[in-house]
Amino acid sequence: MAYPFLVFLFIFRARRGKEEHERLRERYGYASCKRTVGPLVWLHAASVGELRAVVPLIESIERFGLNLVLTTGTVSSATIARDCISERTQHQYSPLDITCSISRFLDHWQPDLAVFTESEIWPTTIHKLAKRKIPQVLVNARISDRSNNRWMNCLTLANTIFSQFSQVIAQSEVDSERFCALGAPWVVVGGNLKNDVAIPVPNLHELKRYRTMIAERPTWIAVSTHQGEESCIAKVHHMLSQHAPGILTVLVPRHPNRSNEVEREMKKKGLRIVTRTSGHLIDHDTDILLGDTIGEMGFYLRLSEIAFMGKSLKLKAKGGQNPIEPALTGSAILSGRFVHNFQETYQKFLDSGGVRFVDDEKMLAEYVLHLLKNRSDLKLMQDSARKTVSTMKGALEYSIEMLDSYIRPLRLYASLQRSHHYHSKILSSKNTSH
C-alpha cells in the first residue's frame, strides 16, 4: 500500500545526500547496466562495514572466473564499491523488498546464487528466490539480541523464512544456536570475516602531516560514537585537560552525516574543533579533531594508541562496535559495557586483557589518563589485543570452502561456455577462410 508514496521518501533522502538521485530507479529493480553473459552470483552487503568484510570473498569468487552483481544500501558503500571492485562485478543499489521491485531485479539479473551478509533478512526477496529455486547462503551471519527476540515472538513466520536458506555460515556459536532455533536447516560456525580483512593503508603523506601537527601532545580517540555519546566525550575531554594539559581528542562519529550536529554540540561546550574536511591546521589550542570523512578509520586509529569504542556507554546507544579494527592497528581498547551485539568477541579480548570496560565518563577519563601515564600497561594491552585478533582469523578460507559446493558447478558451467565460445570462433574463422 505504501509503494506509490515511497518515491517521495527517496526524493527526500536524495536531498539529504542519503540517495543518489540519478540512480533511484535501481531501488525499484530497474537495472542501470546490462547483465553479463554466463553464470552470475548476486552478493548483497548492507553498508560500508559489511562491504569491507566481503571484499576478499568477492575477489575470491572473481578469481574463479565468475561474474557478480553487488548490491548495497547506502551512498557511502556505493562510493567504496567503486574503488574496490573489478570489471567482473557490477554494482547496483539494493531493490526494495516488495514483490514488483524484487521480481523486476531478478528478471533482469537472473542470478544463479544469492549470497547475503550478516543480518540481511528480507522476507519477500527470500521467498522470490526460493520460488525460482535459486540457492541462498547467508555468510558472516549474526543476529542481535533484539532481532532474535522479535523473531522468536513470531516463530512460525521465522521458520517459514529461515528454512529457505540453503546454508548459514554464522559468526559465533551463539549466532549458530539462534539461527538453528529460528529454522535454518544447515548452520555452521565460520567466524567473523572482518577478522581477516586487511586494514586499508592510509595516505602516508597525510598521516605524517597530521602526526607532525599533533607532535608530542597526549592524544586519544573515540570512534563510532552515536547520538548521546558525543556529550560524554566532551565531558571526558574536560576532565582529562585538568590532568593532561594540551590533550587532543580525536572524535569519529559512526555516521559522518551527523558531523555538523556534532560540531555544533562541541562548540556549545566551549571546545575548539577542527574537522578533517576543513583542511585547517591543528594547533596547540585545538581540543577536538572531528573525523567527518568516509573510509578513513584506519587513518584516524593511527593517530593515537588509545581507542574508545562507541555505541556502548549509554542505554540509548548500546550494542557495541566491533573492536577488531582498533586491535589490528595496535590500539589499547576501551569500551562501555553495552556490547551484547559482539559479546563473544569482547569476551575473548577481555580474557586476554586487550580491552577494559568503563561504566561512565569519570571511569573512562581515569582509564585514558592511566594509560597515557603508564607506558608499560598501555603496551601490555596493545600486545594482548594483537595476539587475540591473530587467533580469530580463518573465516575467509572457511567461508570459501563452505561455498565451494555452490560455486563449483557455476565454475564448470562458465568454463564450458568459454570453451564453446572459443570453438565457435574457430569454426567461424575456418568457414570464412573457405
Side-chain angles (χ1 to χ4, degrees):
M1 291 173 66
Y3 182 79
F5 306 100
L6 289 174
V7 63
F8 299 108
L9 173 63
F10 282 127
I11 291 172
F12 174 73
R13 284 172 56 83
R15 286 176 177 173
R16 297 184 65 189
K18 292 186 176 183
E19 299 283 347
E20 291 188 64
H21 189 81
E22 63 276 12
R23 296 181 65 180
L24 287 181
R25 284 170 56 85
E26 292 177 24
R27 292 296 200 180
Y28 292 90
Y30 292 102
S32 58
C33 50
K34 291 183 178 180
R35 184 196 190 280
T36 51
V37 177
L40 185 78
V41 177
W42 173 21
L43 194 146
H44 173 69
S47 192
V48 174
E50 293 85 351
L51 174 59
R52 288 199 184 281
V54 296
V55 164
L57 188 61
I58 293 172
E59 293 171 346
S60 297
I61 295 172
E62 288 177 337
R63 283 196 292 271
F64 291 143
L66 298 177
N67 297 316
L68 298 95
V69 56
L70 167 68
T71 57
T72 62
T74 64
V75 173
S76 54
S77 59
T79 303
I80 299 294
R82 293 188 190 104
D83 299 328
C84 66
I85 61 176
S86 75
E87 59 185 16
R88 278 196 173 277
T89 300
Q90 296 167 284
H91 176 267
Q92 298 283 279
Y93 279 105
S94 52
L96 293 166
D97 192 50
I98 296 175
T99 298
C100 54
S101 298
I102 190 62
S103 295
R104 198 176 287 125
F105 178 89
L106 294 176
D107 286 343
H108 177 83
W109 293 103
Q110 300 178 27
D112 299 281
L113 171 66
V115 180
F116 301 103
T117 61
E118 298 209 7
S119 52
E120 291 298 289
I121 312 296
W122 297 104
T124 304
T125 300
I126 290 170
H127 170 68
K128 291 298 180 183
L129 286 167
K131 201 171 181 180
R132 297 178 186 226
K133 293 181 170 44
I134 299 170
Q136 305 175 61
V137 180
L138 187 61
V139 301
N140 212 37
R142 70 181 182 91
I143 188 162
S144 67
D145 293 347
R146 185 181 180 186
S147 294
N148 186 60
N149 291 336
R150 286 180 172 178
W151 283 116
M152 291 300 289
N153 287 330
C154 48
L155 196 53
T156 302
L157 175 62
N159 285 331
T160 302
I161 294 170
F162 286 85
S163 63
Q164 302 301 328
F165 282 108
S166 303
Q167 186 173 30
V168 174
I169 306 173
Q171 290 187 17
S172 69
E173 290 288 351
V174 171
D175 293 312
S176 174
E177 291 170 3
R178 288 175 174 177
F179 280 109
C180 286
L182 292 172
W186 185 17
V187 184
V188 295
V189 180
N192 192 335
L193 286 172
K194 292 178 181 177
N195 300 348
D196 289 357
V197 176
I199 303 300
V201 177
N203 183 311
L204 297 180
H205 174 73
E206 277 291 279
L207 184 61
K208 183 179 179 181
R209 187 170 77 89
Y210 270 75
R211 282 176 171 172
T212 301
M213 285 190 283
I214 295 170
E216 299 299 319
R217 293 181 62 178
T219 306
W220 72 295
I221 181 169
V223 300
S224 297
T225 56
H226 285 61
Q227 190 169 17
E229 287 185 314
E230 287 86 13
S231 61
C232 298
I233 300 306
K235 291 177 185 177
V236 173
H237 180 89
H238 281 301
M239 292 179 198
L240 288 171
S241 61
Q242 297 174 19
H243 303 280
I247 191 162
L248 175 70
T249 297
V250 182
L251 177 57
V252 187
R254 176 69 178 84
H255 302 290
N257 60 304
R258 291 185 54 244
S259 297
N260 290 337
E261 168 197 331
V262 174
E263 183 178 3
R264 287 193 297 270
E265 184 175 1
M266 295 297 106
K267 287 180 177 178
K268 283 181 182 178
K269 295 185 182 297
L271 296 172
R272 292 172 291 274
I273 188 167
V274 167
T275 63
R276 171 86 164 103
T277 55
S278 71
H280 295 161
L281 298 179
I282 299 171
D283 57 31
H284 65 279
D285 289 327
T286 304
D287 295 305
I288 306 285
L289 168 62
L290 180 63
D292 56 349
T293 54
I294 296 170
E296 286 197 306
M297 187 61 76
F299 169 82
Y300 296 121
L301 285 168
R302 286 176 172 86
L303 296 178
S304 174
E305 296 178 296
I306 304 168
F308 167 76
M309 304 303 297
K311 201 182 179 182
S312 64
L313 197 59
K314 288 290 186 182
L315 283 171
K316 289 184 179 179
K318 61 182 181 179
Q321 296 288 168
N322 199 327
I324 297 299
E325 198 165 359
L328 288 171
T329 52
S331 298
I333 304 165
L334 301 173
S335 173
R337 296 184 182 276
F338 300 105
V339 294
H340 45 267
N341 287 347
F342 301 93
Q343 55 189 351
E344 284 197 12
T345 301
Y346 271 96
Q347 189 60 55
K348 290 178 181 178
F349 280 95
L350 196 62
D351 292 341
S352 71
V355 69
R356 291 288 182 271
F357 285 153
V358 299
D359 295 325
D360 51 30
E361 297 95 332
K362 184 174 182 294
M363 194 172 176
L364 176 56
E366 288 173 351
Y367 263 117
V368 172
L369 190 62
H370 174 79
L371 292 172
L372 287 172
K373 294 186 175 182
N374 292 271
R375 189 73 192 173
S376 58
D377 288 354
L378 174 64
K379 190 175 186 308
L380 185 61
M381 283 188 68
Q382 291 174 305
D383 292 341
S384 298
R386 285 195 190 96
K387 288 176 183 176
T388 301
V389 78
S390 68
T391 66
M392 298 166 66
K393 294 182 179 294
L396 175 61
E397 185 178 346
Y398 186 78
S399 296
I400 293 171
E401 183 182 334
M402 289 295 100
L403 285 171
D404 184 63
S405 59
Y406 306 98
I407 296 293
R408 190 181 299 175
L410 302 184
R411 292 173 62 186
L412 177 61
Y413 180 38
S415 178
L416 289 172
Q417 277 198 323
R418 285 192 293 270
S419 176
H420 176 73
H421 179 66
Y422 172 75
H423 287 297
S424 296
K425 286 181 68 176
I426 295 293
L427 287 173
S428 177
S429 63
K430 284 183 178 180
N431 291 335
T432 304
S433 62
H434 287 310

